[in-house]
Amino acid sequence: GLRTPLFDQQQLAPVSAACFLRWFDLTGLQRHLKVLGLFARQALAEANQGYLNDIPRVMDYIISVCERYPELSGLLALLKPLR
């Protein structure tokens, strides 16, 4: 995967696969939360509803990441009813 080339090029200090996956998940989660805000802003402020159909897929990703990490249970509880 991506992890090995980064180690080989000494661009990433050795970490466990679980730690790398956690970092990857949390970074992806942050980016997907930002995207939800961008999609909502475009729909409301700019009358651009082209991305609204993508919101369920983005929400599914966010919820699946939250379900893997107990410390994200509060965020999961907030977002799951909106699914």
Side-chain angles (χ1 to χ4, degrees):
L2 175 64
R3 189 172 156 259
T4 303
L6 291 174
F7 288 133
D8 292 345
Q9 297 169 14
Q10 297 181 347
Q11 294 180 3
L12 183 64
V15 295
S16 69
C19 182
F20 184 84
L21 179 60
R22 178 181 169 77
W23 292 347
F24 190 86
D25 282 345
L26 294 178
T27 300
L29 175 63
Q30 185 275 331
R31 294 176 66 82
H32 279 73
L33 287 168
K34 179 181 175 182
V35 163
L36 281 181
L38 290 172
F39 289 174
R41 180 185 55 81
Q42 287 182 350
L44 296 173
E46 299 172 16
N48 177 2
Q49 298 186 357
Y51 293 104
L52 291 180
N53 291 332
D54 296 319
I55 288 178
R57 182 168 22 138
V58 173
M59 284 291 287
D60 287 344
Y61 174 83
I62 290 170
I63 288 170
S64 72
V65 170
C66 287
E67 288 174 337
R68 288 195 292 268
Y69 299 96
E71 63 270 31
L72 297 175
S73 63
L75 181 59
L76 180 62
L78 180 70
L79 295 177
K80 205 166 189 177
L82 302 175
R83 188 184 230 177

